Amino acid sequence: MCLFKNYFYDAEAIDILSEPVGETVPVRKVNESFNGFGFGFKYQIIPSTYVRSSFVRAARIPTEGEILVDFAAVVPNFQLSPETSDNLNVGIGFEKPILGLKYFSFQLDAFVRDQTDLIRIEPFGPENSRFVNEDQVEGRGIEFAVNTRPLSNLGFNANFTYQSNEITTPQLNNSALGEAQVPNIPLLFFNVGSTYDFKNIFDKDIDLQIFGNYFFTDRYSINVVRDLDTANPDFVIPEQHLVNLGIVVKPAIENLRFSFSVKNVLDELMYDNFRIPRPGINYSFKINYSIL
């Protein structure tokens, strides 16, 4: 498989950070064009096992929200350049019932990503922030996923990711912070989950599924630091443990589903990627109906 892409964008807006010249309103224009390409292959070694690989030279054009933003808490940056990256991925997969299991599959993937002009947000002044380009970032990582069904109505799944996004720019804001990790991105996170299905209960009119998930995210920083152990703890997001439980009711009416879930069952203190607290234990009830 091969592909070729051409990336082009053109943006125009009033520059509220510049003073008007006479009656002339300051207007800024941004436009750029890039070419990208990619190719990949997948080889089935035996019916149950395959290997795959791909290489992509890609560009990510800044969004309107990153260049022009909201002109309030986040200020515009008309010098923002597109991200460009070279991405190499290799992986192996296996799918076959083994050891008496009804179903078993796993995928193991590794990636290398060299990025130029990575777009991220950083503080700008005492009250604002803006999107900027990080000069050079080297990304490395592995991902692992497994799904299994020991019984026809009992399933388990797990996903694991370890990644490094290392700043290789020698100088950053006049400080020697090269080789630090890009902030706001965790290095290690994984989750495990399980489902159990009850078929044809209550006189064979209703199917019922219960599920549970556990999510772990290792600690990481919201600003550029070399060592988390010596970093200011006010800017470090601690380890996070999130447990969700729920139930899905599937009545005899086709395409109708009722679901009830309890998120953050342990009422742990959770954060987003900028250390803003998320809700504690919370409950939700949904009714879903598909017309397709």
Side-chain angles (χ1 to χ4, degrees):
M1 180 189 70
C2 298
L3 60 89
F4 173 82
K5 290 185 177 182
N6 176 260
Y7 304 86
F8 172 79
Y9 76 101
D10 184 274
E12 181 177 328
I14 297 173
D15 187 354
I16 64 170
L17 300 181
S18 298
E19 292 291 335
V21 180
E23 297 181 356
T24 303
V25 177
V27 175
R28 297 294 296 270
K29 298 181 179 181
V30 184
N31 62 77
E32 292 197 51
S33 177
F34 292 90
N35 293 323
F37 64 87
F39 57 86
F41 78 91
K42 179 179 178 181
Y43 179 70
Q44 203 79 29
I45 303 174
I46 56 177
S48 63
T49 307
Y50 65 84
V51 292
R52 62 188 176 190
S53 181
S54 65
F55 176 84
V56 178
R57 174 162 290 174
R60 188 177 80 82
I61 295 172
T63 66
E64 177 184 351
E66 292 169 336
I67 298 177
L68 308 179
V69 297
D70 57 7
F71 295 95
V74 183
V75 299
N77 182 2
F78 295 99
Q79 284 74 46
L80 200 61
S81 298
E83 295 179 7
T84 57
S85 62
D86 290 333
N87 307 270
L88 174 64
N89 299 269
V90 294
I92 184 172
F94 176 87
E95 182 177 354
K96 183 181 180 180
I98 59 174
L99 303 175
L101 298 172
K102 298 293 184 180
Y103 175 81
F104 178 82
S105 73
F106 81 84
Q107 297 86 41
L108 177 64
D109 295 281
F111 65 86
V112 177
R113 182 181 301 116
D114 289 337
Q115 295 175 291
T116 301
D117 292 327
L118 173 70
I119 297 172
R120 70 177 184 87
I121 197 168
E122 71 170 12
F124 183 74
E127 298 180 351
N128 300 108
S129 58
R130 69 172 179 175
F131 288 93
V132 299
N133 291 112
E134 199 77 79
D135 288 343
Q136 299 285 339
V137 174
E138 290 185 357
R140 307 287 187 271
I142 57 172
E143 299 173 322
F144 177 77
V146 61
N147 288 272
T148 182
R149 278 194 170 271
L151 304 172
S152 59
N153 58 344
L154 176 63
F156 294 96
N157 64 83
N159 294 273
F160 172 91
T161 298
Y162 178 82
Q163 60 182 348
S164 170
N165 292 284
E166 186 178 286
I167 302 171
T168 57
T169 309
Q171 299 287 328
L172 182 66
N173 297 331
N174 299 318
S175 300
L177 286 175
E179 300 183 358
Q181 292 290 317
V182 175
N184 310 108
I185 301 177
L187 274 73
L188 171 66
F189 51 93
F190 65 84
N191 69 81
V192 294
S194 179
T195 61
Y196 191 89
D197 297 301
F198 297 89
K199 299 291 186 180
N200 301 322
I201 62 175
F202 302 118
D203 295 327
K204 300 183 179 181
D205 286 333
I206 296 178
D207 290 345
L208 192 68
Q209 182 186 77
I210 58 174
F211 64 88
N213 297 285
Y214 166 70
F215 299 85
F216 170 82
T217 305
D218 202 5
R219 61 179 183 156
Y220 60 102
S221 177
I222 62 173
N223 59 4
V224 181
V225 298
R226 281 185 176 274
D227 187 354
L228 287 175
D229 292 330
T230 58
N232 185 338
D234 291 338
F235 299 100
V236 175
I237 298 176
E239 289 185 0
Q240 300 182 83
H241 305 268
L242 175 65
V243 176
N244 299 331
L245 299 174
I247 184 171
V248 179
V249 180
K250 305 174 184 179
I253 303 174
E254 188 175 0
N255 300 329
L256 179 63
R257 301 288 184 271
F258 301 92
S259 62
F260 175 76
S261 63
V262 183
K263 297 182 178 180
N264 196 0
V265 173
L266 302 179
D267 201 21
E268 293 280 331
L269 186 57
M270 307 298 298
Y271 301 93
D272 68 5
N273 286 22
F274 294 90
R275 212 175 189 275
I276 297 175
R278 290 179 171 177
I281 185 170
N282 59 96
Y283 313 87
S284 65
F285 175 74
K286 296 180 180 180
I287 302 175
N288 296 310
Y289 183 79
S290 175
I291 60 176
L292 300 178

